[in-house]
Amino acid sequence: FITGRIKELIIKGGENIEINDLDGAVAAYRAATRLDTTNPSAFYNLGNALWMSGDLDDALAAYQGAILLDPRK
């Protein structure tokens, strides 16, 4: 269940970015990172949404989380 829900949230975040709903994207990606603290894609996408919304400090923290989880990407 959780894996499917995380996928849904990541897709929802992408859809929100497409319609320029950055707050919605951040909320979806944050929810995904709360459900699975080991998913580097959720953290990376959260970083992107935060960066686009101008929250550079939190974006950096999200990117660092993604790198810690999967340094090869």
Side-chain angles (χ1 to χ4, degrees), residues 46-72:
L46 174 59
N48 288 340
L50 289 164
W51 178 79
M52 287 187 271
S53 66
D55 189 346
L56 303 184
D57 290 335
D58 283 348
L60 180 59
Y63 288 138
Q64 288 172 332
I67 291 168
L68 286 172
L69 293 168
D70 189 354
R72 297 171 291 157

Side-chain angles (χ1 to χ4, degrees), residues 29 33-34 36-48 59 61-63 65-66 69:
Y29 294 135
T33 62
R34 276 191 229 98
D36 184 355
T37 60
T38 65
N39 187 312
S41 294
F43 282 92
Y44 177 77
N45 286 310
L46 174 59
N48 288 340
Y63 288 138
L69 293 168

Side-chain angles (χ1 to χ4, degrees), residues 1-62:
F1 167 75
I2 290 178
T3 302
R5 179 67 179 140
I6 291 163
K7 184 176 178 180
E8 290 173 8
L9 289 166
I10 291 173
I11 290 169
K12 181 64 176 169
E15 291 171 349
N16 286 333
I17 285 175
E18 288 178 13
I19 62 170
N20 204 31
D21 177 8
L22 297 177
D23 290 338
V26 168
Y29 294 135
R30 280 198 197 280
T33 62
R34 276 191 229 98
L35 285 175
D36 184 355
T37 60
T38 65
N39 187 312
S41 294
F43 282 92
Y44 177 77
N45 286 310
L46 174 59
N48 288 340
L50 289 164
W51 178 79
M52 287 187 271
S53 66
D55 189 346
L56 303 184
D57 290 335
D58 283 348
L60 180 59

